[in-house]
Amino acid sequence: AKREGRNKYKFYCESMQDELMDKKEVEAILRNAVKNDGFILLYQPQVDVDTGFIEGFEALLRIKGYNISPLKFIPVAEDTGLITEIGRWVTRKAVEQIAEWKEKGYDTKPISVNFSSKQLQDTAYADFLRKILLEKGVEAEYFELEITESILLEKSSNTLEFLNTLKDMGIRIALDDFGTGYSSLNYLTFIPVNKIKLDKSLCEKFLELSNIKVMNSIIGLAHSLGLVITAEGIEDMEQYKRLKKGGCDYIQGYLFSRPVKSDEIEKIYHINMLD
Ligand code: C2E
Ligand code: CA
Ligand code: CA
Ligand code: CA
């Protein structure tokens, strides 16, 4: 009976996941995944607001066999330094995916990869990325890096030099989670960013009529700086309509698709998400 109780507890842990899992357990799971090819990338479409076709995808990391949110395991990866190796795995996998879809005859569409500010400590990252792109025959313009403004707070490293190196390589850079932090458009004039991703929490505010002016001015300001805008976490049609009216370029959210495995993406790759 005792044994059964234990198994039940274990089952409970694995299925009900995270809250019960402490940092040490997550770290052990991460180390195991790094060693044994235990990660998988899901892809979420970014849809062109005007046409309804998929413009690109964001790669989102999962641990095979576990139901742990990246919101839980990425900070552990950062604290333990595992983020360097994990970040390189994500980069390689995303580039391989672009190459695979190209080989299978799909139109090439960019994949965006999340870049943790802690990965600045991986000083050879840009060289690594350059090598992978060359090796897989993927043009740099199809690889997009998503950074957050916290990257500007990493004092020890030369963030601007790093971002300019990527820019010179032809890599696109998106500013993620816009609207959650300082939300100053000021630094957009000196960091080489191509795209702004409006955070879900900000987009939710646009459901209130009183915030439409704010939405329109953010979009207008970004466009005047030559940037494109993706709205994130869009779940309903009303949001979509407002964002379209306001001139938003791309939309990413459950309204169109959750993050899914690559074979699921293949079924929707060329279809119109508005139909
Ligand atoms: P993020 O970069 O802001 O990614 C968007 C998150 O919003 C994803 O959560 C996505 O599944 C979720 N999402 C998209 N559309 C909707 C929607 O309509 N409604 C709701 N409720 N959620 C939506 P996910 O995959 O759990 O990732 C969470 C965070 O973990 C990411 O936030 C990112 O900061 C981090 N992350 C994920 N993968 C990686 C990775 O490979 N490397 C790094 N450094 N961070 C990652
Ligand atoms: Ca992101
Ligand atoms: Ca985001
Ligand atoms: Ca447009």
Side-chain angles (χ1 to χ4, degrees):
K2 206 175 174 188
R3 205 191 149 128
E4 194 190 299
R6 250 183 133 156
N7 285 342
K8 258 189 200 154
Y9 174 72
K10 187 165 177 263
F11 174 75
Y12 179 75
C13 263
E14 281 173 8
S15 60
M16 292 303 284
Q17 63 134 335
D18 35 44
E19 254 57 71
L20 295 166
M21 223 180 261
D22 66 20
K23 265 189 69 175
K24 281 282 160 229
E25 288 175 87
V26 174
E27 182 181 345
I29 290 165
L30 284 175
R31 285 194 191 281
N32 182 58
V34 164
K35 235 195 264 165
N36 300 304
D37 193 27
F39 292 106
I40 182 167
L41 286 184
L42 301 184
Y43 300 91
Q44 187 177 33
Q46 301 175 331
V47 176
D48 186 313
V49 171
D50 297 322
T51 68
F53 288 106
I54 295 173
E55 182 266 345
F57 309 95
E58 177 173 5
L60 293 155
L61 187 63
R62 300 289 184 267
I63 307 172
K64 281 185 209 162
Y66 291 92
N67 187 21
I68 312 174
S69 165
L71 294 172
K72 174 118 186 172
F73 69 74
I74 292 292
V76 177
E78 290 173 338
D79 288 349
T80 54
L82 287 166
I83 194 68
T84 293
E85 204 167 335
I86 294 171
R88 286 188 176 212
W89 182 89
V90 170
T91 297
R92 174 189 294 276
K93 197 71 191 172
V95 173
E96 282 174 356
Q97 187 62 69
I98 298 168
E100 185 188 321
W101 279 332
K102 188 176 168 188
E103 212 164 281
K104 286 182 170 175
Y106 294 95
D107 297 344
T108 302
K109 299 178 185 190
I111 293 181
S112 317
V113 157
N114 291 286
F115 186 82
S116 159
S117 301
K118 293 286 179 300
Q119 286 177 262
L120 284 173
Q121 286 161 19
D122 182 6
T123 51
Y125 179 82
D127 284 336
F128 167 80
L129 175 56
R130 191 185 283 115
K131 226 183 97 196
I132 294 288
L133 290 168
L134 202 67
E135 192 181 302
K136 303 294 169 196
V138 170
E139 285 159 277
E141 66 185 287
Y142 294 114
F143 187 86
E144 184 171 76
L145 217 52
E146 297 195 0
I147 60 166
T148 62
E149 56 194 12
S150 72
I151 204 166
L152 296 169
L153 300 173
E154 292 291 315
K155 295 229 168 54
S156 55
S157 53
N158 199 337
T159 304
L160 266 187
E161 193 185 299
F162 171 72
L163 294 177
N164 280 316
T165 300
L166 295 177
K167 181 193 171 193
D168 293 344
M169 283 167 61
I171 301 294
R172 293 203 266 175
I173 300 168
L175 184 68
D176 204 356
D177 300 344
F178 187 83
T180 57
Y182 305 95
S183 305
S184 144
L185 283 163
N186 172 46
Y187 51 76
L188 294 175
T189 59
F190 63 87
I191 60 169
V193 164
N194 309 88
K195 182 191 275 179
I196 289 179
K197 295 191 78 176
L198 302 180
D199 191 70
K200 182 176 189 294
S201 59
L202 190 65
C203 293
E204 275 163 2
K205 293 192 184 135
F206 301 157
L207 277 171
E208 282 168 51
L209 279 170
S210 58
N211 288 319
I212 292 211
K213 276 186 181 165
V214 176
M215 179 190 84
N216 289 344
S217 58
I218 293 173
I219 295 171
L221 202 49
H223 282 165
S224 75
L225 290 167
L227 308 174
V228 293
I229 295 240
T230 300
E232 230 182 354
I234 304 309
E235 295 181 356
D236 71 68
M237 210 53 195
E238 194 52 42
Q239 277 175 304
Y240 165 81
K241 284 180 191 156
R242 297 235 170 113
L243 285 156
K244 181 180 162 81
K245 211 171 161 202
C248 180
D249 301 289
Y250 305 109
I251 279 181
Q252 181 181 344
Y254 295 173
L255 174 65
F256 294 120
S257 173
R258 286 174 177 264
V260 292
K261 289 183 184 172
S262 61
D263 57 338
E264 291 294 315
I265 291 293
E266 291 176 6
K267 295 178 198 156
I268 58 172
Y269 206 95
H270 288 124
I271 72 157
N272 193 311
M273 305 297 277
L274 286 170
D275 288 346

Coordinates of all heavy atoms in Angstrom, one line a residue, residues 24 28 32 34 41 48-49 65-66 74 80 89-90 180 182 185 202 215 217 225 274:
K24 N 16.1 22.5 -7.7 CA 17.1 21.4 -7.8 C 16.6 20.4 -8.8 O 17.3 19.8 -9.6 CB 17.4 20.8 -6.5 CG 18.4 21.6 -5.7 CD 19.8 21.4 -6.2 CE 20.7 22.5 -5.7 NZ 21.6 23.1 -6.8
A28 N 18.0 19.3 -12.4 CA 18.4 17.9 -12.8 C 17.7 17.5 -14.1 O 18.3 16.8 -15.0 CB 18.0 16.9 -11.7
N32 N 19.7 16.6 -17.6 CA 19.4 15.3 -18.3 C 19.0 15.6 -19.8 O 19.4 14.9 -20.7 CB 18.3 14.6 -17.6 CG 18.0 13.2 -18.2 OD1 18.9 12.4 -18.4 ND2 16.7 13.1 -18.6
V34 N 19.7 18.2 -21.6 CA 20.9 18.7 -22.4 C 21.7 17.5 -22.9 O 22.1 17.4 -24.0 CB 21.8 19.6 -21.5 CG1 23.1 19.8 -22.1 CG2 21.1 21.0 -21.3
L41 N 11.2 21.8 -29.9 CA 10.7 23.1 -30.3 C 9.3 23.0 -30.8 O 9.0 22.2 -31.7 CB 11.6 23.8 -31.3 CG 13.0 24.3 -30.8 CD1 13.7 25.1 -32.0 CD2 12.9 25.2 -29.6
D48 N 0.1 37.5 -41.0 CA 0.0 38.9 -41.6 C -1.4 39.4 -41.5 O -2.4 38.7 -41.9 CB 0.4 38.8 -43.1 CG 0.5 40.1 -43.8 OD1 -0.5 40.9 -43.6 OD2 1.5 40.4 -44.5
V49 N -1.6 40.5 -40.8 CA -2.9 41.0 -40.5 C -3.7 41.3 -41.8 O -4.9 41.0 -41.8 CB -2.8 42.3 -39.7 CG1 -4.1 43.0 -39.5 CG2 -2.1 42.1 -38.3
G65 N 8.5 15.1 -22.5 CA 8.0 14.2 -21.4 C 7.6 14.9 -20.1 O 7.3 14.3 -19.2
Y66 N 7.8 16.2 -20.2 CA 7.5 17.0 -19.0 C 6.5 18.1 -19.3 O 6.6 18.7 -20.4 CB 8.7 17.6 -18.3 CG 9.6 16.6 -17.7 CD1 10.6 16.0 -18.4 CD2 9.4 16.2 -16.3 CE1 11.5 15.0 -17.8 CE2 10.2 15.2 -15.8 CZ 11.2 14.7 -16.5 OH 12.0 13.7 -15.9
I74 N 13.3 28.3 -17.8 CA 14.3 29.2 -18.4 C 15.1 29.9 -17.3 O 16.3 30.0 -17.3 CB 13.7 30.2 -19.4 CG1 13.2 29.4 -20.6 CG2 14.7 31.3 -19.8 CD1 14.3 28.8 -21.5
T80 N 21.9 28.6 -13.7 CA 22.9 27.6 -13.6 C 23.9 27.6 -14.8 O 24.8 26.8 -14.8 CB 22.2 26.2 -13.7 OG1 21.3 26.2 -14.9 CG2 21.3 25.9 -12.5
W89 N 21.4 25.0 -28.6 CA 20.6 23.9 -29.2 C 19.4 24.5 -29.9 O 19.0 24.1 -31.0 CB 20.2 23.0 -28.0 CG 19.4 21.8 -28.6 CD1 19.9 20.6 -29.0 CD2 17.9 21.7 -28.8 NE1 18.8 19.8 -29.5 CE2 17.7 20.5 -29.4 CE3 16.9 22.6 -28.5 CZ2 16.4 20.1 -29.7 CZ3 15.6 22.2 -28.9 CH2 15.3 21.0 -29.4
V90 N 18.7 25.5 -29.3 CA 17.5 26.1 -29.8 C 17.9 26.7 -31.2 O 17.1 26.6 -32.2 CB 16.9 27.1 -28.9 CG1 15.8 27.9 -29.6 CG2 16.3 26.4 -27.6
T180 N 5.8 45.8 -21.1 CA 5.9 45.3 -19.7 C 6.9 45.9 -18.9 O 6.9 45.8 -17.7 CB 6.2 43.7 -19.8 OG1 7.4 43.6 -20.5 CG2 5.1 43.0 -20.5
Y182 N 10.0 49.3 -19.1 CA 10.1 50.7 -19.0 C 9.3 51.3 -20.2 O 8.8 52.4 -20.1 CB 11.6 51.2 -19.2 CG 12.4 50.5 -18.1 CD1 13.2 49.4 -18.4 CD2 12.5 51.1 -16.8 CE1 13.9 48.8 -17.4 CE2 13.2 50.5 -15.8 CZ 13.9 49.3 -16.1 OH 14.7 48.8 -15.1
L185 N 10.3 54.3 -25.8 CA 10.7 54.1 -27.2 C 12.0 54.7 -27.5 O 12.6 54.6 -28.6 CB 9.6 54.6 -28.2 CG 8.4 53.8 -28.3 CD1 7.2 54.5 -28.9 CD2 8.7 52.5 -29.1
L202 N -0.4 44.2 -22.7 CA -0.7 45.5 -23.4 C -1.8 45.3 -24.4 O -2.7 46.2 -24.4 CB 0.6 46.0 -24.1 CG 0.6 47.4 -24.6 CD1 0.5 48.4 -23.5 CD2 1.9 47.7 -25.4
M215 N -2.9 52.7 -28.4 CA -2.5 51.6 -29.3 C -2.1 52.2 -30.7 O -1.0 51.9 -31.2 CB -3.7 50.7 -29.6 CG -3.3 49.6 -30.5 SD -4.8 48.6 -31.0 CE -5.4 49.7 -32.3
S217 N -1.1 55.2 -31.3 CA 0.1 56.0 -31.3 C 1.4 55.2 -31.1 O 2.4 55.5 -31.7 CB 0.1 57.1 -30.2 OG -0.2 56.5 -29.0
L225 N 9.5 55.0 -37.0 CA 10.9 54.6 -36.8 C 11.4 53.5 -37.8 O 12.5 53.0 -37.7 CB 11.2 54.1 -35.3 CG 11.1 55.2 -34.3 CD1 11.0 54.5 -32.9 CD2 12.3 56.1 -34.3
L274 N -7.2 33.3 -42.0 CA -8.5 34.0 -41.9 C -9.7 33.3 -42.4 O -10.8 33.7 -42.2 CB -8.4 35.4 -42.5 CG -7.5 36.4 -41.7 CD1 -7.2 37.7 -42.6 CD2 -8.1 36.8 -40.4

